[in-house]
Amino acid sequence: MRKDTDTMASAPPDPAPSAYDDLLTRADGSVTAAHARAQRAVNAELVQAYWQIGSLLLARQEQGRDADLVARLAADLKAAHPSQRGFSRRNLTHMRKLARTWPGQIARRPVAQLPWGHVVVLMERLESRAELEFYAAEAVRHGWSRADLDRAIREHRHRARAGAPPDPDVTLPEGSPALAELAGDPFRLDFLRLDGHGVDAAGPGHR
């Protein structure tokens, strides 16, 4: 028994990480962080584009023109951008509601950081301005998945923080479920496809 103890005591310590290992870790971290920033930026552009389309629909319909404007625009956008999903009649209706729900520029609001599916949940489940802003900011701050967001709304979590203003400067945390869902969001990936005229950002065989 003493012999085993002496052997363990004399075992050499684990070698310290090499300078190269540190270099690799830092370089890989830079690439990962850059990917996350790019994903956030593209998603913000997608939400902004949807908001702009919704604003155009609102302005046109307020003029009393084209009773079936949404269906007509959906068909023409699908024809113009055949590799992109997101131009269904239902989704254009969501875009119009987005512009109505968040009047004014949306790009710097917390909601613009969320995957499109999260945004739709917010619009379908909530009505009041205070609740919309609260759950959008909290979803970003905590990096909630869409299921987490839906559960938080069902549990009325805003009641526990009634009167507390939402933080407009929140950012999706690294490694969060929301950021993972953003990375695989089919609307964002199709938004990058460029209708086959550029690099397929989603990679071969994604569809």
Side-chain angles (χ1 to χ4, degrees), residues 9-59:
S10 62
D14 292 335
S18 69
Y20 176 78
D21 290 339
D22 181 64
L23 170 65
L24 176 60
T25 299
R26 289 171 179 267
D28 185 64
S30 295
V31 172
T32 300
H35 284 170
R37 289 194 300 271
Q39 288 163 1
R40 291 189 184 101
V42 171
N43 187 71
E45 290 293 339
L46 171 67
V47 174
Q48 175 71 8
Y50 282 2
W51 180 88
Q52 289 175 335
I53 292 171
S55 297
L56 292 170
L57 284 168
L58 281 179

Side-chain angles (χ1 to χ4, degrees), residues 2-169:
R2 177 63 182 273
K3 182 178 180 181
D4 292 342
T5 303
D6 292 342
T7 301
M8 292 177 62
S10 62
D14 292 335
S18 69
Y20 176 78
D21 290 339
D22 181 64
L23 170 65
L24 176 60
T25 299
R26 289 171 179 267
D28 185 64
S30 295
V31 172
T32 300
H35 284 170
R37 289 194 300 271
Q39 288 163 1
R40 291 189 184 101
V42 171
N43 187 71
E45 290 293 339
L46 171 67
V47 174
Q48 175 71 8
Y50 282 2
W51 180 88
Q52 289 175 335
I53 292 171
S55 297
L56 292 170
L57 284 168
L58 281 179
R60 183 83 175 186
Q61 291 188 327
E62 285 173 359
Q63 297 171 4
R65 301 176 182 175
D66 299 333
D68 203 17
L69 181 63
V70 172
R72 180 180 178 187
L73 185 61
D76 287 339
L77 285 175
K78 284 180 182 178
H81 303 278
S83 69
Q84 289 188 36
R85 73 195 81 188
F87 297 130
S88 66
R89 182 173 181 171
R90 182 171 182 267
N91 214 41
L92 261 67
T93 300
H94 287 318
M95 295 178 202
R96 184 177 59 191
K97 189 170 185 178
L98 177 70
R100 184 183 293 118
T101 302
W102 281 278
Q105 292 298 315
I106 198 173
R108 296 189 178 182
R109 295 176 181 265
V111 67
Q113 298 186 48
L114 294 171
W116 182 238
H118 287 55
V119 180
V120 172
V121 167
L122 289 169
M123 294 190 298
E124 289 185 338
R125 298 290 307 279
L126 302 169
E127 293 292 338
S128 78
R129 166 66 52 191
E131 291 180 17
L132 283 161
E133 298 295 356
F134 170 83
Y135 285 105
E138 287 296 285
V140 173
R141 184 164 74 93
H142 296 290
W144 285 339
S145 67
R146 182 163 47 173
D148 292 335
L149 172 60
D150 187 71
R151 182 165 50 252
I153 294 172
R154 284 189 282 107
E155 293 174 355
H156 305 289
R157 292 189 194 172
H158 65 284
R159 294 176 180 172
R161 295 185 58 190
D167 184 358
D169 298 321

